[in-house]
Amino acid sequence: MKTDLSYKTILDNMNEQVYVRDRDMNLLYLNPAAEKLTGWSQNTALGRKCWEVFGNEDRTCRDLCPVNKALSEGQGLLHHEGKLKTLSGEIKDIQVSVSPLAEEGNITAALVVLTDLTRMQETQRTHVKTVLRLENEIENRKRVEQALRESEARYRFLAENMADIVWTLDRNL
C-alpha cells in the first residue's frame, strides 16, 4: 500500500528514535535513529521482544512499561521518563511517548518515540555549573568593589583632613 510506504519513509527519516511493537512485545519496526541509539540493527532487533533490545525483563519492564499501559488503556502517553539499556550495556535516561495503533478498530500495536535525555542532562549540568561560577564571580567582584570603596574613602579622609600642605606636580611641565 502506498500510504504504508509513505509512513515508513517519514519514520525512516525522522531524527527521533522510533519503534513499533505489538501487544506481545515483539518488535515490528525500528528506525535508523533508534538503531543508532540502541546499537541494535533493525535486522537483528525485529522479531525480538522489546525488553531484549531495550533492557531487561524485570518487574519494572513487565509491570511499569509505559507502552503496556498505553495499549491496555487505549490512549497515548506523553513524556514518560525511564531507562534504556543499549546493546553495549550503556544505560541511558530516556523520555517515552506512545501512540496505540489500531487495525479495524482493534488496538494491535504501539508506535513509540524515544528521546535521549543524556545530552539535555549534560547541558543542564553545564548550565548549573556556569550559573554557579557566575554567581561566585559576581560575589568576588562585589567584595573587590567594596574594598575599593573603603580604600577610596580612607584616602579621601586623609587627603581632606591633612594639616600639611600637599600639592601634586606634573613632571611633564
Side-chain angles (χ1 to χ4, degrees):
M1 176 179 224
K2 187 176 179 178
T3 304
D4 290 341
L5 181 59
S6 297
Y7 289 139
K8 184 180 178 322
T9 302
I10 291 168
L11 294 174
D12 282 348
N13 289 289
M14 288 178 63
N15 289 326
E16 291 78 14
Q17 297 83 17
V18 178
Y19 73 89
V20 176
R21 61 154 267 214
D22 64 17
R23 285 187 164 278
D24 296 324
M25 299 183 157
N26 298 308
L27 289 174
L28 306 175
Y29 171 79
L30 194 71
N31 79 343
E35 288 178 314
K36 185 175 178 182
L37 174 69
T38 64
W40 287 82
S41 72
Q42 188 172 138
N43 291 338
T44 307
L46 293 187
R48 290 184 181 263
K49 300 293 184 187
C50 57
W51 52 266
E52 290 179 277
V53 174
F54 302 117
N56 296 316
E57 184 186 25
D58 58 11
R59 182 187 168 281
T60 303
C61 186
R62 283 193 320 268
D63 300 338
L64 303 176
C65 177
V67 181
N68 286 345
K69 182 179 178 181
L71 287 171
S72 66
E73 294 176 1
Q75 296 183 50
L77 177 68
L78 296 176
H79 312 304
H80 172 84
E81 290 190 14
K83 303 277 186 198
L84 175 135
K85 184 177 178 182
T86 67
L87 181 61
S88 67
E90 182 181 3
I91 303 296
K92 294 190 174 257
D93 292 316
I94 58 165
Q95 187 177 70
V96 179
S97 296
V98 184
S99 297
L101 299 174
E103 287 182 19
E104 299 175 7
N106 296 318
I107 296 173
T108 58
L111 176 90
V112 183
V113 179
L114 305 173
T115 302
D116 183 0
L117 299 178
T118 308
R119 189 174 290 150
M120 184 180 2
Q121 290 169 337
E122 283 177 22
T123 301
Q124 287 173 340
R125 282 191 294 273
T126 301
H127 177 72
V128 167
K129 287 178 186 177
T130 302
V131 168
L132 291 175
R133 284 188 197 130
L134 286 173
E135 288 174 351
N136 192 25
E137 181 65 29
I138 289 168
E139 281 301 313
N140 286 338
R141 282 184 179 220
K142 286 179 181 178
R143 283 193 291 275
V144 168
E145 288 171 359
Q146 181 62 30
L148 183 59
R149 280 192 294 276
E150 290 170 3
S151 175
E152 186 179 317
R154 281 192 302 274
Y155 177 75
R156 180 175 289 114
F157 176 79
L158 288 173
E160 290 174 354
N161 293 299
M162 278 184 146
D164 299 328
I165 298 173
V166 178
W167 68 82
T168 306
L169 293 175
D170 187 350
R171 296 177 76 185
N172 294 328
L173 292 176

